Amino acid sequence: VESGMGQWNRMAALIAAGMLTAGMVFAQNPPPNDYGGPPVQFDPLPRMLNELVPLYEGRFSNLNQNYFQWRYFNTPKDQQHEWITAVHTRVPGSPLGDHVFYIEEFYENDPARTLRQRVVSFEPDRAENAVRMKNWFLKDPAAVKGAYDDPSKVARLRASDFTLVPDCDVFWVREPNGFEGKIKDKACQFTSERTKKKVYAQHELQLSATDLFRIDRSIEVETGRLAVGNPTGRPYEMMRADAFTCSIGIRKAGEGRQWDTKANVKLHDMNGILSHKAQGAEKGYAIRLRHMRLPYGDNPEVLLLVMMEEGREESLGFATANADAERIAINLQFVQGQCVRDRPV
């Protein structure tokens, strides 16, 4: 009878032989490579691309950073980061490729205060061992304004409706908590419309499941002086917004516990506001939903739902919950509101 050790040795030999045979077959028939160059046995770029692209989609805001700079830290005004909202929307069917996004940025939460509109496309780049993000200008940006609600506006455009920004590609690589993207140093040069001087773009990004941090500045080529951007060199700390479905109800006067309700409205947690005025009422009410990350201690995070009179900033009352709560609600007897997270965190 074969001993237990002998059986183990025989089993190990069979496993090793099987692995060797499989390795020989794999080596003789490496998988095809669709991105240029000879076939390779291991190509990490498709996996990087498939993980990066879903992370890039979403709504991002540095509301939290801006709020604490002016409200609590007394940061000098010229060093404060303006409150910016950026909406990255996937565009299926674009002539620019399979992984295309329309980006619309505006100041605060006001789409009428446009900062910039552009389109980016992602593709693997084996020569750089990175995912390349190309930047495209829109020849008629007004024609696709608000396309985050209707990306078909961008999908219907032809390739001739875009202009590729030369030498301004961003190269993304994997980092422990997500991805890091950069334009090559001093590669993206152009003439400033404001100063008429030659400048280069400094564009650096860090993307994770919760945040998009970015440095976005222009620097004079000859002098090295800052032309456009925050003088501190610190990034815009943009938090990813989550989507909620919310409702607000106002108690009807003289009708027992009957409520005049506005329900099933989509809201985000970066100061998303839902307002409602009951029929015949003199004033309305609003709820404001906000995800706060407190800049002290262990950076505790909370979800905040504030009740206000419509058009006024003063709080009538508020409710807090864990930042990952599925539901938050407030009831002041005469007015109430609630929000339910669209997807689990």
Side-chain angles (χ1 to χ4, degrees):
V1 178
E2 188 173 19
S3 68
M5 183 60 71
Q7 291 177 349
W8 170 254
N9 290 337
R10 182 184 297 274
M11 186 181 299
L14 289 172
I15 292 173
M19 292 177 65
L20 178 61
T21 302
M24 292 175 63
V25 172
F26 185 76
Q28 293 171 3
N29 301 281
N33 173 27
D34 297 331
Y35 310 115
V40 293
Q41 292 185 3
F42 300 102
D43 187 356
L45 292 183
R47 180 174 178 179
M48 282 179 56
L49 180 67
N50 290 335
E51 293 178 0
L52 170 60
V53 165
L55 278 184
Y56 193 77
E57 187 170 15
R59 184 186 188 102
F60 303 88
S61 171
N62 72 321
L63 162 65
N64 200 74
Q65 177 188 39
N66 170 267
Y67 175 79
F68 282 104
Q69 282 183 344
W70 70 262
R71 184 69 180 268
Y72 288 98
F73 295 155
N74 296 319
T75 304
K77 191 168 182 60
D78 64 341
Q79 296 180 20
Q80 293 177 16
H81 291 73
E82 314 99 301
W83 174 11
I84 292 173
T85 297
V87 186
H88 301 179
T89 306
R90 189 83 179 263
V91 182
S94 170
L96 300 181
D98 295 329
H99 308 289
V100 176
F101 286 85
Y102 167 70
I103 300 174
E104 187 164 321
E105 300 179 2
F106 38 86
Y107 292 105
E108 300 186 2
N109 254 350
D110 186 358
R113 299 178 60 196
T114 304
L115 173 60
R116 63 168 66 94
Q117 297 168 254
R118 65 180 183 277
V119 171
V120 300
S121 61
F122 291 86
E123 60 187 49
D125 188 322
R126 294 210 62 243
E128 298 288 343
N129 194 30
V131 174
R132 179 190 291 259
M133 184 178 82
K134 294 181 178 179
N135 285 281
W136 304 82
F137 284 153
L138 290 151
K139 292 183 178 178
D140 185 9
V144 297
K145 175 73 174 163
Y148 48 81
D149 285 329
D150 183 10
S152 67
K153 289 181 179 180
V154 180
R156 289 194 296 264
L157 298 178
R158 298 165 299 190
S160 58
D161 293 320
F162 304 91
T163 301
L164 180 65
V165 185
D167 302 316
C168 296
D169 296 348
V170 175
F171 295 92
W172 291 89
V173 296
R174 192 187 300 279
E175 290 292 318
N177 295 320
F179 294 89
E180 181 180 83
K182 291 182 181 181
I183 291 178
K184 290 187 175 181
D185 187 37
K186 299 182 181 179
C188 179
Q189 298 192 10
F190 52 94
T191 300
S192 168
E193 293 183 1
R194 185 172 62 87
T195 66
K196 308 304 180 185
K197 295 181 178 180
K198 196 81 168 180
V199 298
Y200 68 87
Q202 180 189 16
H203 195 49
E204 302 176 11
L205 307 102
Q206 289 182 317
L207 177 65
S208 71
T210 57
D211 299 280
L212 172 64
F213 283 23
R214 75 181 199 195
I215 296 173
D216 195 0
R217 310 197 303 171
S218 298
I219 299 171
E220 292 181 3
V221 174
E222 289 187 5
T223 65
R225 288 198 295 262
L226 181 69
V228 177
N230 191 277
T232 68
R234 291 189 58 189
Y236 285 81
E237 299 173 3
M238 308 185 76
M239 296 169 59
R240 184 186 298 274
D242 278 340
F244 289 74
T245 300
C246 300
S247 63
I248 183 171
I250 302 171
R251 191 173 178 177
K252 294 181 179 180
E255 297 189 31
R257 299 198 64 82
Q258 297 298 313
W259 295 83
D260 188 316
T261 302
K262 187 175 185 179
N264 299 319
V265 177
K266 297 296 183 184
L267 218 61
H268 58 80
D269 61 357
M270 290 293 152
N271 251 30
I273 295 177
L274 171 59
S275 300
H276 181 49
K277 181 184 288 187
Q279 186 174 4
E282 294 182 0
K283 60 184 177 182
Y285 295 91
I287 54 173
R288 181 171 61 204
L289 183 64
R290 180 172 170 191
H291 178 182
M292 293 185 69
R293 183 180 295 158
L294 306 179
Y296 45 76
D298 294 327
N299 299 116
E301 300 186 38
V302 297
L303 192 63
L304 179 68
L305 185 64
V306 179
M307 183 68 73
M308 311 170 292
E309 287 187 13
E310 187 177 21
R312 304 189 64 171
E313 288 294 317
E314 295 86 355
S315 167
L316 299 176
F318 63 89
T320 61
N322 291 339
D324 59 355
E326 293 186 10
R327 181 189 300 265
I328 187 170
I330 182 171
N331 188 337
L332 301 182
Q333 300 301 316
F334 64 95
V335 61
Q336 61 185 8
Q338 72 163 350
C339 292
V340 179
R341 192 182 297 273
D342 283 357
R343 57 178 177 79
V345 174

